[in-house]
Amino acid sequence: MTDTKGTVLITGASSGIGAIYADRFAARGHDLILVARNLGRLADVAASLQEKHGVQVKHGVQVKTIAADLGSEEGLRAVDTVLAEDHTITHLVNNAGFGSAAPLTAADVGEMQAMVTINVTAPLRLIYTAVPRFIARGKGTIINISSIVAIGPEILNGVYGGTKSFLLAFSQSLRKELAGTGVNVQVVLPGATGTKFWDVAGLPASNLPTEWVMSAADLVDAALLGLDRREFATIPSLADASEWDAWEASRAVMLPHLSNREPAERYQR
């Protein structure tokens, strides 16, 4: 007999934030489908989870792995197929992604295009597969791992900031569209986090002030607390939540005034 809490599909699950999400959801009694490119690392994570949680959770935790490159059509189709066919899936965690700290003139355009594919196209495709099925079942959860650069895209590489801004904007639209369907949407905006992300981005975390860098475990635990509280946007580093509320309120004030037949008076000669 398998666990009845549902299955969580996590992309980028072989290390860092994704692996910790896997550990935490396993501890909560969820079965797992772990997606990453490196089959060996996935197998190690799966074995560790089954050893750690298999005797702690009633009926044990089932862990499946999919070795897939979400930057390829073949890899996306493989995960799409599982999302379409596995009716036990209740959560989709879009965590896979990579970044860069390079300015435009120093960044390889091919790498930037690959970043857009992983950070934007992959979660978009997986959400389009998962959401209709979640709606049909009347329940489901989408967790999109964005970044604080969604709010401040000028902080790091502009393409990276743009991809994370997309995830925030897409999540905002999803929240509106899915209201009342039983499908929950959460977007998580980490600040600097102690993972291998920074090595790939070209700015090792060891070069950052220690007071800036949150552990991946603390980040995920905070994000899951936000999920339990039904937060839409969770920013674990932000001490004063009213700052986010004020930002959202300012946006809401502008929305009714952004489209008019005539230019604003200041643009009229």
Side-chain angles (χ1 to χ4, degrees), residues 9-23:
L9 189 149
I10 305 169
T11 67
S14 62
S15 64
I17 292 170
I20 293 172
Y21 262 110
D23 177 77

Side-chain angles (χ1 to χ4, degrees), residues 194-217:
T195 69
K196 294 179 180 178
F197 165 89
W198 291 97
D199 297 326
V200 176
L203 182 64
S206 58
N207 292 346
L208 300 174
T210 56
E211 62 269 22
W212 287 6
V213 183
M214 183 178 294
S215 73

Side-chain angles (χ1 to χ4, degrees), residues 119-132:
N119 293 8
V120 173
T121 304
L124 181 153
R125 282 275 299 271
L126 300 185
I127 287 169
Y128 263 78
T129 300
V131 163

Side-chain angles (χ1 to χ4, degrees), residues 66-81:
I66 304 174
D69 179 0
L70 296 180
S72 71
E73 181 61 29
E74 180 183 10
L76 277 173
R77 279 201 306 266
V79 182
D80 267 342
T81 299

Side-chain angles (χ1 to χ4, degrees), residues 148 151 189 214 234-245:
I148 60 166
I151 298 171
L189 286 75
M214 183 178 294
T234 298
I235 310 176
S237 296
L238 186 65
D240 187 351
S242 69
E243 294 176 0
W244 166 265
D245 294 338

Side-chain angles (χ1 to χ4, degrees), residues 28-212:
R28 293 179 173 214
H30 289 272
D31 291 336
L32 302 169
I33 300 175
L34 309 181
V35 180
R37 289 181 298 177
N38 190 305
L39 180 59
R41 288 209 302 261
L42 274 178
D44 290 343
V45 171
S48 175
L49 290 170
Q50 288 179 316
E51 180 179 357
K52 180 177 180 181
H53 298 290
V55 297
Q56 296 178 10
V57 181
K58 187 178 181 181
H59 309 311
V61 171
Q62 302 298 313
V63 183
K64 299 177 183 177
T65 60
I66 304 174
D69 179 0
L70 296 180
S72 71
E73 181 61 29
E74 180 183 10
L76 277 173
R77 279 201 306 266
V79 182
D80 267 342
T81 299
V82 172
L83 277 169
E85 296 179 354
D86 189 334
H87 299 293
T88 70
I89 295 173
T90 55
H91 294 63
L92 169 62
V93 182
N94 283 308
N95 168 69
F98 69 94
S100 173
L104 183 144
T105 55
D108 178 79
V109 68
E111 291 182 3
M112 298 300 100
Q113 288 177 316
M115 185 192 301
V116 171
T117 300
I118 295 292
N119 293 8
V120 173
T121 304
L124 181 153
R125 282 275 299 271
L126 300 185
I127 287 169
Y128 263 78
T129 300
V131 163
R133 288 153 182 83
F134 287 175
I135 292 174
R137 299 171 205 158
K139 64 178 181 179
T141 298
I142 303 289
I143 301 173
N144 290 326
I145 307 302
S146 180
S147 167
I148 60 166
V149 300
I151 298 171
E154 68 273 27
I155 294 174
L156 293 175
N157 170 275
V159 177
Y160 175 62
T163 65
K164 293 304 183 177
S165 295
F166 168 83
L167 267 185
L168 174 58
F170 191 30
S171 298
Q172 287 167 323
S173 178
L174 284 171
R175 173 178 59 165
K176 178 181 178 181
E177 290 190 25
L178 297 176
T181 66
V183 182
N184 185 39
V185 178
Q186 182 196 30
V187 60
V188 181
L189 286 75
T193 308
T195 69
K196 294 179 180 178
F197 165 89
W198 291 97
D199 297 326
V200 176
L203 182 64
S206 58
N207 292 346
L208 300 174
T210 56
E211 62 269 22
W212 287 6

